[in-house]
Amino acid sequence: MILLTNDDGVGAPGLELCRDFLAGQGEDVVVVAPAVCMSQCGHSVTTGRPLRVSELGNGRYSVEGTPADCVRVALVELLGGEEPEWVVSGLNHGANLGVDLYISGTVAAAREAVLHGVPAVAWSQYHRDGEGPERAWQARQLARVWEWHSGEELDAGAFWNVNLPHVDGEAEPVIVACEPSRKPLPLSFARYGGYYHYSGKFHEREGEAGSDVARCFDGAISVSMVRV
């Protein structure tokens, strides 16, 4: 059984894509995802108020909380004591590269799973523009990545962080194992009166040669083993 979650919300197209893909691989998939978009919430959890959980049918639940909350409540309450073989988080709308690992709710869900001893992977899709690659292309790449996972050993206390590149046409990018970049995000703010609006450009961020940022921006599928 696979536990599937994300940070874009239970109605996100990327989540449905992953559900269809995993089911097509013969996996029993249970979806437990945030009721609304929780992008960039990091590894925050909810302890000061109750979590409303709604059963949507067909093995789908929405949680009025964060991605880490979703993993927690699923493992303890919603799966009937069954431990999933994998926790899959994604497919995120946008890349999660380098220091995004500290910001991303998608990645936090995978990290939370590993803290409880469950293997996990975070899948994200880099976009240079609002459209990005076609759904059929994404499904093909997830199939390639899923096969790649099966042939690689995941260290205890670690999870996979995978980023699909933005491609033009039907290119089949190489899968590259690489380390996350340690370079900070661009710091730039636009000022409006007493307000400061972040205006750093994600696509112009710096990344060391060979890092996940550099490889994904160059058109490869970047795969990093991230230790908790």
Side-chain angles (χ1 to χ4, degrees), residues 5 20 23 28 30 34 41 44 76 80 84 87-88 103 112 133 141 144 149 165 170 179 186 219-220:
T5 189
D20 290 347
D28 179 20
V30 177
C41 70
S44 61
V76 176
V87 170
V88 175
I103 301 167
E112 183 68 32
Q141 306 322 308
R144 295 177 62 216
H149 290 325
E170 296 295 315
E179 292 295 318

Side-chain angles (χ1 to χ4, degrees), residues 55-72:
E55 186 170 0
L56 306 178
N58 297 320
R60 296 170 66 246
Y61 299 85
S62 71
V63 178
E64 293 184 4
T66 68
D69 286 331
C70 291
V71 173
R72 286 179 163 199

Side-chain angles (χ1 to χ4, degrees), residues 8-226:
D8 291 325
V10 71
L15 184 77
E16 192 64 26
L17 170 67
C18 288
R19 184 171 186 252
D20 290 347
F21 163 70
L22 292 167
Q25 300 297 305
E27 302 288 353
D28 179 20
V29 183
V30 177
V31 173
V32 183
V36 298
C37 180
M38 297 296 294
S39 183
Q40 299 185 351
C41 70
H43 206 126
S44 61
V45 295
T46 305
T47 58
R49 63 170 176 82
L51 289 172
R52 181 184 294 275
V53 178
S54 300
E55 186 170 0
L56 306 178
N58 297 320
R60 296 170 66 246
Y61 299 85
S62 71
V63 178
E64 293 184 4
T66 68
D69 286 331
C70 291
V71 173
R72 286 179 163 199
V73 73
L75 294 179
V76 176
E77 297 289 342
L78 302 180
L79 301 182
E82 182 180 357
E83 184 173 294
E85 297 176 37
W86 283 88
V87 170
V88 175
S89 186
L91 178 71
N92 188 66
H93 183 79
N96 283 305
L97 299 161
V99 295
D100 300 339
L101 296 173
Y102 302 102
I103 301 167
S104 166
T106 300
V107 172
R111 186 187 301 114
E112 183 68 32
V114 172
L115 290 172
H116 297 284
V118 181
V121 58
W123 287 338
S124 301
Q125 171 67 67
Y126 169 54
H127 294 274
R128 284 199 308 264
D129 54 43
E131 293 298 325
E134 296 290 335
R135 179 185 172 99
W137 180 90
Q138 292 174 323
R140 288 202 309 276
Q141 306 322 308
L142 291 182
R144 295 177 62 216
V145 168
W146 192 243
E147 183 178 3
W148 188 93
H149 290 325
S150 68
E152 297 290 326
E153 184 173 352
L154 181 61
D155 291 351
F159 62 91
W160 297 116
N161 186 52
V162 178
N163 285 271
L164 305 183
H166 186 117
V167 300
D168 297 316
E170 296 295 315
E172 297 291 324
V174 63
I175 299 174
V176 177
C178 49
E179 292 295 318
S181 172
R182 296 179 298 276
K183 296 290 185 179
L185 290 166
L187 290 182
S188 178
F189 291 86
R191 183 173 179 177
Y192 304 97
Y195 295 90
Y196 292 84
H197 190 279
Y198 180 71
S199 58
K201 296 181 179 180
F202 184 92
H203 311 285
E204 297 177 6
R205 65 192 295 183
E206 186 180 2
E208 301 98 329
S211 70
D212 60 350
V213 171
R215 297 312 303 264
C216 185
F217 280 18
D218 284 344
I221 298 174
S222 70
V223 182
S224 301
M225 186 187 298
V226 182

